[in-house]
Structures are given as C-alpha cells and as structure tokens.
Amino acid sequence: MKGVILDARKEPRSGYQLSEFERTTGKAVTGSSVWRHPKMKVESVPEPGIGPDEVLIKVKYCGVCGSDVHFYETDKDGYMLYPGLTKFPTITGHEFAGEVVDVGNNVKDVKRGTYVTVEEMIWCGHCVPCRNGFPNHCTNLEEIGFTINGAFANYIAAGAKYCWPVDAILECYSDFEQAMQAAAWCEPTSVAYNAMFPRAGGFAPGAYVVVFGAGPIGLACIALAQAAGASKILAFEVSDVRRKLAEKMGAQYVFNPLDFLSAQAGNKNGHSVRSTILEVTKGEGADMLIEAAGVMSHTIPEMEASLAINGKIVIIGRAAAKVPMYLENLQVRRSQVFGSQGHSGDAIFPSVIRLMASGRIDMTKAVTSVRNLEETPDAVANLSKNRADGKIMIKVS
Ligand SMILES: [Zn+2]
Ligand SMILES: [Zn+2]
C-alpha cells in the first residue's frame, strides 16, 4: 500500500537535554527542539497487521491538519515548527474515517463492515491520569500520525476501543462521500468541543463568543458556538478565504485583525480588536474568547481587555512561547483561563457525531478542496504557502 511518511533528522538543539523518557522511547516531547530537516514523501509501505484488540480500517478520507503543516515547516535553523510529542519516521494523518475490514480475535464491539472514525489520542487506560479520568493527559500517550502510523495511507490498524461508528452521520447525508468527509471532521471538531465544553464548561445560551483564527479548529468552534446558542459570534482571521468560511459557519461579525494593526498607525478611526469586541457586545465584553490562532502574544492582550464579567479565555492554539498576562483581570472581571488538549473521554466523540447526525453542525461546508493520497505532500506545501484553505480532504479510497 501507499503511505505518506514524514521523516526528520534527530538533532536536539544545543542546550536541549533528551530526557530518560525520550531516550528510551525514541519520542521527542518538544518536537521543535529535536527534529531537523523534515521530509514528507509518498512511499510504498507494508500493509499493517492487527493485534488481538485492534481493527484494520480501509481509510476513506483523511483531513489535512495544521499540525501536518507544522511538521513540514521549519525555522531558520531547519527545525520543525511542530512543538509537541512526535516520533519519526511515521505515516502522518490523524483526522480520518473509513471502513473496518478486519477485526482482531478479542474485538467484540466493532464489526467488520462498520464505518468508523477514530480518536487520535491513544491513551493507555492504566496510568494514573487515565485512571483518574484524564485520558488526554495519559503518561503513556501515543498519537496517531504523530508517534505511531497514521491514516494518510490505504490502511491503518487501530485499537477497537478508540473507534466510534459513524452510521448516524451516514443516515443524515444523502451523499456517501460527503458523509464520510463529515466523519473525518469528527477528530478536529472534537478538539474544539473538548476545549469549549468539557474543559471550559461552556456558556449559557445567548452568550457572546469570539473566535481568534478561522482555520479548521476555529471554524469548528464557530459551528459549535452557533449550535450551542451563542447570540453573537465574532471571528478574527487574516485570510480572506477563511473569513468567508467563518461567515458560512455562523459568525455574524468577521474581521481581519491586520486592519487594526494598521489602525494603530492611524487608519481605521483608531479602532482596535478589543474596542471592536466591546462595541459589538455593547460594552459588556465576550463571555467566551477562544484562541485558535496560535499567536498568543497578539491575542491575549486583546482577549483580556474584552472579557465579560465571568468571561472565559480558552486556549486551543499551540505556541511554545511565554506570554505575559494582566492577572488583575481574573479578579476584577471574575474571569478565567482554560488550556485544553485532546478530545478523548467526556462523551466528546459521541456528542460530536450526534450533532453532525442531527444536522446542527455541517463541517463539510468548510471543505475547500479534495485531493488524492499522492497529492498529500503537495497539498501540505501549498497550505503552508498560503493558509487560504479551510479543510483539505485527502480522498484515500
Ligand atoms: Zn489535527
Ligand atoms: Zn494512560
């Protein structure tokens, strides 16, 4: 079969000491400090075998994630931009759906012929965080497409306990291809859902919600905010294409933050991001502000200055950087900040599947191109160049 393999040279930056864990597992905890000169190529690879608790999935669609782009992109010293847990060489791709074509001997709950989507976080179930109910913080975590082989390939083996049937989504869409694209959206949509609801505790219907960054995760946040009854949704996004998608997904107030940077230099009547949020919310501020842009040094100062009383800042974007905060706000505005990672547990996948199956959210509206498996490296390179797509779906079969 064919697979999209990412490989890189392991050359820890001077001053980065590989830990005992990193030496024994071969994983890098801070990928951006370890992996150099990454290369993404389509190669012929053996079909995966399955263990007794695993199923073999024939991949139908796999979405291109911002992380896939960050694997490919490097800084001036040639280090990969992606800052998280990684091990290479690995087949990438983790936002997927497909058909179960074989099941291991111990598998009871997943049947051959079932269409499924799969969690990307491979939590062990027996470490202390897992036993305490925090699978997204598993100390033995593997991640599909990051540390173990992913779904930019014809087949993938996955533990049955990470699979979720998507028949309900298939029933909702009359078009099978579109339904399977929606199913491939479950993973990133679950990341957004986890951050907004289980982690941050959600908001009451009628709330004002602001989303920074309208990449796929930001777009999922907008769709979820609308489904959950936000009365005003604001989005800030630099790309023209993505601003249009933000509107399509349900944001009524969409802005290009770069307009305000020039505003500081005296254009746009002295408006700023924060003053715009305060204007749209009639001075009350936003009840939930979501960071899905990964540029906290720009977004945090705007978010903390436009918080409603009891407002929430939710961090989903990734940036390995320190950003100062004016903590007085957390007291005076009775406000809070939540960091979020992952999508497992808390009925997240089944809830997202229900939302898609009910037609309350339709993430397929944000698919801007469909490419085949061979075109994956090219699609990633283009996305890196222009960041102008919503979701690129790789049609594997
Ligand atoms: Zn992803
Ligand atoms: Zn665990």
Side-chain angles (χ1 to χ4, degrees), residues 123-131 135 137-141:
W123 41 274
C124 74
H126 52 76
C127 71
V128 171
C130 279
R131 293 174 66 195
H137 307 277
C138 172
T139 51
N140 300 310
L141 192 69

Side-chain angles (χ1 to χ4, degrees), residues 194-216:
N194 181 35
M196 293 167 70
F197 302 103
R199 273 299 291 129
F203 51 79
Y208 297 148
V209 175
V210 183
V211 179
F212 289 88

Side-chain angles (χ1 to χ4, degrees), residues 63-68 94-95 120 146 187-188 191 217 343 391:
V64 176
C65 174
S67 304
D68 297 314
H94 58 274
E95 307 178 350
E120 171 266 354
F146 293 75
E187 192 276 338
V191 169
I217 297 287
H343 54 218
K391 179 60 75 189

Side-chain angles (χ1 to χ4, degrees), residues 222-306:
I222 293 168
L224 289 167
Q226 193 188 40
S231 63
K232 287 184 180 175
I233 304 171
L234 295 79
F236 292 88
E237 165 60 49
V238 296
S239 141
D240 298 343
V241 176
R242 289 180 170 184
R243 279 200 304 282
K244 289 214 178 69
L245 289 170
E247 262 171 46
K248 213 165 150 186
M249 299 313 294
Q252 306 102 318
Y253 304 88
V254 181
F255 305 95
N256 182 349
L258 298 180
D259 287 348
F260 300 107
L261 289 184
S262 45
Q264 275 151 13
N267 300 328
K268 225 164 178 178
N269 315 323
H271 282 295
S272 59
V273 169
R274 65 189 78 173
S275 72
T276 302
I277 296 171
L278 289 170
E279 212 171 277
V280 173
T281 62
K282 308 274 186 245
E284 290 186 80
D287 301 294
M288 182 176 277
L289 296 127
I290 301 168
E291 210 313 327
V295 287
M296 287 71 154
S297 57
H298 295 288
T299 53
I300 289 282
E302 305 305 320
M303 294 198 283
E304 64 182 3
S306 55

